[in-house]
Amino acid sequence: MGIPWIFFILIIILIGRSFYDFIQYKSTHSRFQMREGHFSLEIFIAMLIVYFIIMIGYGLIYFILSFQGIVIVEHGELREVSIWGSIVHSIYFSGVTLLTLGYGDLSPVGIGRIIALSEALIGYILPAAFVLRVVQINSRDNDK
């Protein structure tokens, strides 16, 4: 009974750490010059990796919670799916929640709703953090 919660806590720590590392990101100044600004391939790849970690991490959280009776329902109905089906549903729901506000085909029940809200919030904050990081690097380069 305690093992799923240990994984749950470890996943939350991994997600938080990757988000923190992205915000505190130190550039090695490898960027491609564009017309009047800079495109940082390094930061862009870091953002994609953070998105991937968050999507898989939250997907695993939904999957772990499905063993505790906290499930994701499909079109308002509880469906019996295999373990692989549950993993696929969990990661799909995580991706849709992170990158949009969802399509409505899957929805969480119980505490899963609060978890989905936190994931959607991260999905909105991350692009702003990306833009802020690029602006900070550009202003630092202009000061030199």
Side-chain angles (χ1 to χ4, degrees), residues 56-112:
I56 297 298
Y58 270 92
L60 291 174
I61 288 171
Y62 298 126
F63 177 68
I64 290 169
L65 290 176
S66 71
F67 290 116
Q68 304 297 319
I70 301 166
V71 296
I72 297 173
V73 295
E74 187 173 351
H75 300 295
E77 299 174 11
L78 182 60
R79 296 186 185 215
E80 199 65 35
V81 293
S82 67
I83 292 205
W84 282 111
S86 181
I87 290 173
V88 169
H89 276 84
S90 298
I91 292 175
Y92 167 76
F93 177 74
S94 176
V96 167
T97 303
L98 182 65
L99 301 173
T100 67
L101 275 182
Y103 295 126
D105 55 343
L106 298 176
S107 55
V109 176
I111 196 167

Side-chain angles (χ1 to χ4, degrees), residues 8-124:
F8 179 81
I9 291 168
L10 289 174
I11 292 167
I12 293 294
I13 291 170
L14 177 67
I15 290 170
R17 181 62 193 211
S18 66
F19 191 67
Y20 176 80
D21 286 345
F22 178 74
I23 299 296
Q24 297 297 320
Y25 188 71
K26 305 283 191 254
S27 176
T28 59
H29 298 288
S30 64
R31 64 182 89 91
F32 293 98
Q33 185 84 16
M34 292 185 74
R35 287 186 197 151
E36 293 188 16
H38 298 281
F39 175 78
S40 175
L41 181 63
E42 190 176 2
I43 292 175
F44 180 73
I45 290 171
M47 186 180 76
L48 289 178
I49 290 170
V50 169
Y51 263 117
F52 183 76
I53 289 170
I54 291 171
M55 183 178 68
I56 297 298
Y58 270 92
L60 291 174
I61 288 171
Y62 298 126
F63 177 68
I64 290 169
L65 290 176
S66 71
F67 290 116
Q68 304 297 319
I70 301 166
V71 296
I72 297 173
V73 295
E74 187 173 351
H75 300 295
E77 299 174 11
L78 182 60
R79 296 186 185 215
E80 199 65 35
V81 293
S82 67
I83 292 205
W84 282 111
S86 181
I87 290 173
V88 169
H89 276 84
S90 298
I91 292 175
Y92 167 76
F93 177 74
S94 176
V96 167
T97 303
L98 182 65
L99 301 173
T100 67
L101 275 182
Y103 295 126
D105 55 343
L106 298 176
S107 55
V109 176
I111 196 167
R113 291 180 176 190
I114 295 170
I115 294 169
L117 283 174
S118 70
E119 184 179 12
L121 179 64
I122 289 171
Y124 277 112

